[in-house]
């Protein structure tokens, strides 16, 4: 069991009708910033018995929209239940079941003698929406596998951006706000001890910023918020010499250098292949891991890891075929080594703790950087790394290379989160700017009650984070961009009132 300050009282989950996304920053950071092992004391996997491993994560999200009675903020899932004949809204009940079912599948498999593993990534929007809808049954089912020590060794939660914001186009000043808002909310639902175990991060849409300053601030925020590693899409990174990765089944050290020449790094697990939910639904990572054998990091031989994430509810294959494929894979492992040898499932933090206990050092992991950065750094000398030199180089590259951009890279590279969405992005940046103009000076002043604990602040912060939700820039122009405009207007009004 992790140790942390025992004086902490439980956090309220809902305050004045709003999700708890701010106010306890000092307490959150005191809990998450520790170096204690999370899985090592309880893991039943021994590296010497294992040839290869795989880790699967399920990504779950529903946006918050101003579409309730009188335009109130509700979950899109609630809207689906209330309007069953629009589009694919008939999927509302299957979706809700998908959000809950890991709370049944993991105990069932454990009780059958299997050794399952799963990583879970739920957006803040979804967690709040479930509570708003009165679906405490879903949250309670998730608490079972999160808080019951019987099942903790089999489940890892991954942190994410509270409002499902794609990081490359999120205002830099708001990246850490999303990260710490999710930590607040998660601790309020599942408790401080559960939060202390969240050490991996899942970027929405696997979207990794490749602008040097955005990436640097993202990695810096992750580390300040206690994260040890993040999941990145294979095609969103390159080697430091601009090549495709050659050791994608080993952990990497993601290097971030900003336009001032400062560098920072964090461990990355490489999510292989594209965004095909079928890969997870049919447990393909298990079968891929069967084809691999041990690899070497410095002088240590380690089992390679196949890392994969997919939407946990979208598509008929995930909704209908996943449970049986999931069970079948773990039964197969029990029949081939008892589920603890040969090829096994693992959680990301568990894997890193095991290989580092065996002698691996993060600084020895193969290095990578976001795709496209090699073109910048081969033109900007590390000795002369100034913001102006970097910016000039970026503009030159855009002129001479039509494929060069700094929009980041994700698992949905056929979709741009920027092009054609100026009518969402402009208000989004405007609201963020207004928010910081109003609140940043106040944060510097002492008061009896921290500003971030006041409801007015939390309400404005909520609208700022909600406006950055990726869904408003996914479905094209229409209802979704109208939702964004409405959230912007409300946020602006709140800033003028307060």
């Amino acid at each position: 069991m992790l140790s942390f300050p025992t004086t902490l009282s439980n956090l309220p989950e809902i305050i004045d009708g709003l999700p708890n996304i701010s106010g306890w920053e000092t307490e959150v950071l005191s809990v998450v910033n520790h170096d204690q092992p999370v899985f090592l004391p309880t893991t039943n996997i021994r590296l010497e018995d294992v040839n290869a491993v795989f880790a699967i994560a399920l990504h779950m999200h529903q946006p918050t929209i101003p579409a309730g009675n009188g335009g109130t903020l509700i979950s899109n899932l609630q809207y689906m239940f209330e309007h069953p004949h629009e589009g694919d809204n008939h999927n509302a009940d299957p979706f809700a079941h998908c959000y809950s079912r890991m709370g049944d599948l993991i105990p069932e498999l454990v009780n059958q003698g299997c050794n399952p593993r799963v990583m879970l990534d739920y957006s803040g929007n979804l967690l709040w929406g479930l509570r708003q809808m009165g679906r405490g049954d879903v949250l309670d089912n998730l608490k079972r596998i999160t808080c019951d020590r019987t099942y903790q060794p089999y489940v890892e939660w991954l942190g994410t951006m509270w409002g499902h914001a794609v990081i490359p186009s999120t205002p830099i000043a708001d990246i850490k706000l999303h990260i710490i808002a999710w930590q607040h909310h998660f601790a309020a639902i599942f408790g401080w001890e559960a939060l202390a175990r969240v050490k991996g991060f899942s970027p929405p849409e696997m979207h990794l910023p490749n602008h040097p300053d955005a990436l640097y601030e993202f990695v810096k925020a992750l580390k300040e918020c206690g994260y040890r590693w993040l999941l990145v899409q294979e095609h969103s990174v390159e080697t430091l010499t601009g090549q495709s990765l050659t050791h994608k089944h080993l952990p990497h050290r993601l290097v971030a250098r900003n336009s001032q020449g400062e560098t920072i790094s964090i461990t990355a697990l490489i999510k292989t292949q594209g965004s095909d939910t079928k890969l997870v639904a049919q447990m393909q990572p298990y079968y891929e891991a069967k084809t691999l054998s041990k690899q070497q990091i410095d002088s240590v031989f380690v089992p390679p890891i196949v890392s994969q994430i997919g939407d946990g509810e979208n598509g008929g294959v995930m909704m209908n075929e996943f449970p049986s494929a999931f069970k079948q894979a773990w039964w197969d492992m029990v029949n081939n080594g008892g589920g603890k040898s040969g090829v096994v499932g693992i959680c990301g933090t568990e894997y890193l703790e095991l290989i580092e206990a065996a002698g691996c050092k993060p600084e020895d992991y193969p290095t990578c950087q976001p795709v496209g950065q090699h073109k910048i750094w081969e033109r900007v000398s590390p000795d002369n790394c100034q913001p102006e030199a970097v910016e000039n180089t970026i503009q030159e590259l855009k002129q001479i290379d039509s494929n060069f951009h700094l929009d980041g890279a994700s698992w949905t590279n056929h979709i741009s989160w920027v092009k054609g969405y100026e009518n969402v992005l402009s208000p989004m940046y405007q609201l963020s700017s207004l928010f910081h103009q109003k609140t940043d000076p106040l944060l510097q002043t002492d008061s009896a009650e921290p500003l971030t604990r006041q409801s007015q602040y939390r309400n404005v912060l909520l609208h700022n984070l909600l406006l950055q939700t990726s869904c408003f820039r996914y479905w094209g122009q229409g209802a979704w961009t109208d939702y964004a405009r409405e959230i912007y207007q409300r946020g602006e009004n709140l800033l003028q009132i307060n």
Side-chain angles (χ1 to χ4, degrees):
M1 179 176 174
L2 293 168
S3 60
F4 53 90
T6 54
T7 53
L8 294 174
S9 54
N10 293 337
L11 289 183
E13 182 186 336
I14 304 294
I15 308 169
D16 298 328
L18 305 176
N20 186 348
I21 54 174
S22 70
W24 284 266
E25 289 77 13
T26 301
E27 292 82 353
V28 165
L29 293 174
S30 75
V31 166
V32 298
N33 278 295
H34 69 85
D35 295 320
Q36 301 171 68
V38 175
F39 283 87
L40 211 53
T42 56
T43 183
N44 57 18
I45 292 173
R46 291 164 20 120
L47 278 191
E48 55 266 35
D49 298 331
V50 177
N51 298 325
V53 300
F54 69 95
I56 62 163
L58 302 177
H59 167 65
M60 311 285 198
H61 168 60
Q62 284 289 342
T64 305
I65 56 176
N69 290 331
T72 55
L73 293 169
I74 62 169
S75 172
N76 185 59
L77 183 64
Q78 181 176 336
Y79 184 88
M80 291 174 70
F81 272 109
E82 293 173 354
H83 301 82
H85 302 300
E86 291 181 18
D88 66 350
N89 287 3
H90 57 275
N91 283 327
D93 197 52
F95 278 7
H97 176 66
C98 290
Y99 300 139
S100 179
R101 65 187 177 188
M102 268 301 147
D104 299 315
L105 288 171
I106 293 294
E108 177 187 332
L109 287 163
V110 171
N111 295 338
Q112 290 172 350
C114 296
N115 197 24
R117 295 291 189 280
V118 73
M119 300 188 294
L120 300 175
D121 155 18
Y122 283 54
S123 71
N125 310 73
L126 175 58
L127 293 171
W128 181 36
L130 290 168
R131 182 64 73 196
Q132 282 181 298
M133 295 169 62
R135 292 305 299 263
D137 59 314
V138 176
L139 295 171
D140 288 343
N141 217 25
L142 294 172
K143 281 183 189 177
R144 181 186 184 195
I145 54 172
T146 306
C147 304
D148 184 332
R149 292 222 177 87
T150 307
Y151 305 115
Q152 276 177 13
Y154 306 98
V155 178
E156 175 168 20
W157 281 88
L158 303 178
T160 191
M161 301 280 273
W162 187 87
H164 203 268
V166 285
I167 296 153
S169 51
T170 298
I172 287 177
D174 294 331
I175 292 173
K176 191 173 180 181
L177 291 177
H178 275 281
I179 293 171
I180 206 164
W182 186 92
Q183 291 176 316
H184 270 82
H185 198 172
F186 182 84
I189 298 170
F190 298 103
W192 290 114
E193 205 256 340
L195 176 65
R197 287 186 270 112
V198 181
K199 288 293 163 188
F201 191 88
S202 176
E205 305 295 342
M206 285 289 104
H207 210 180
L208 187 72
N210 62 345
H211 188 288
D213 292 334
L215 178 75
Y216 183 90
E217 292 303 321
F218 172 45
V219 173
K220 182 166 169 271
L222 286 178
K223 299 191 81 162
E224 287 173 352
C225 291
Y227 286 102
R228 295 177 189 163
W229 64 275
L230 80 159
L231 200 57
V232 302
Q233 164 74 31
E234 174 186 354
H235 300 118
S236 69
V237 288
E238 63 188 14
T239 68
L240 299 191
T241 54
Q243 309 301 309
S244 299
L245 302 192
T246 53
H247 302 288
K248 60 188 180 182
H249 297 119
L250 290 178
H252 278 62
R253 183 164 63 89
L254 176 67
V255 179
R257 185 198 302 175
N258 68 9
S259 60
Q260 306 274 1
E262 301 170 296
T263 60
I264 193 170
S265 65
I266 191 170
T267 298
L269 290 181
I270 309 300
K271 172 201 171 299
T272 55
Q273 302 185 52
S275 169
D276 189 345
T277 302
K278 291 178 184 176
L279 295 177
V280 173
Q282 297 174 344
M283 294 295 283
Q284 180 271 346
Y286 167 49
Y287 302 102
E288 183 181 348
K290 283 185 164 189
T291 68
L292 304 176
S293 55
K294 289 195 176 185
Q295 296 182 27
Q296 196 169 351
I297 299 175
D298 197 29
S299 60
V300 185
F301 283 89
V302 301
I305 182 168
V306 180
S307 308
Q308 191 56 256
I309 184 170
D311 287 352
E313 79 283 61
N314 274 330
V317 177
M318 179 51 77
M319 281 191 276
N320 303 315
E321 297 177 28
F322 172 68
S324 58
F326 188 70
K327 293 178 188 178
Q328 183 57 53
W330 304 109
W331 293 335
D332 188 56
M333 279 172 260
V334 168
N335 294 329
N336 291 277
K340 296 173 189 173
S341 62
V343 175
V344 302
I346 206 162
C347 293
T349 300
E350 180 181 22
Y351 174 75
L352 293 170
E353 289 181 349
L354 279 166
I355 67 169
E356 285 166 21
C360 290
K361 298 182 180 64
E363 57 266 28
D364 292 331
Y365 298 158
T367 48
C368 65
Q369 64 189 3
V371 69
Q373 283 203 351
H374 173 65
K375 291 180 178 178
I376 299 173
W377 303 126
E378 70 178 349
R379 288 170 170 80
V380 178
S381 162
D383 305 328
N384 184 35
C385 196
Q386 302 291 335
E388 190 178 357
V390 172
E391 184 56 32
N392 289 341
T393 298
I394 288 170
Q395 295 310 319
E396 286 169 17
L397 284 166
K398 285 180 177 178
Q399 298 266 317
I400 62 174
D401 185 348
S402 60
N403 293 320
F404 180 83
H405 65 83
L406 290 179
D407 297 342
S410 74
W411 61 9
T412 51
N413 276 345
H414 61 292
I415 292 170
S416 172
W417 303 100
V418 178
K419 292 184 180 71
Y421 287 108
E422 290 76 12
N423 61 329
V424 175
L425 286 168
S426 276
M428 187 182 95
Y429 282 104
Q430 175 73 4
L431 185 62
S432 174
S433 178
L434 290 170
F435 170 77
H436 287 283
Q437 284 172 29
K438 187 77 175 270
T439 62
D440 288 1
L442 297 173
L443 289 170
Q444 308 305 318
T445 62
D446 293 328
S447 63
E449 181 185 28
L451 175 70
T452 58
R453 203 169 289 190
Q454 296 172 19
S455 279
Q456 308 98 290
Y457 173 90
R458 191 174 292 110
N459 201 5
V460 177
L461 173 65
L462 176 70
H463 283 77
N464 188 39
L465 301 186
L466 287 178
L467 185 54
Q468 296 165 10
T469 300
S470 68
C471 306
F472 302 132
R473 290 173 283 137
Y474 184 86
W475 300 107
Q477 298 295 320
W480 288 90
T481 50
D482 291 344
Y483 288 151
R485 186 75 207 175
E486 177 63 25
I487 290 171
Y488 167 78
Q489 202 60 61
R490 293 183 194 181
E492 186 186 51
N493 293 343
L494 285 167
L495 280 163
Q496 289 171 350
I497 293 167
N498 295 325

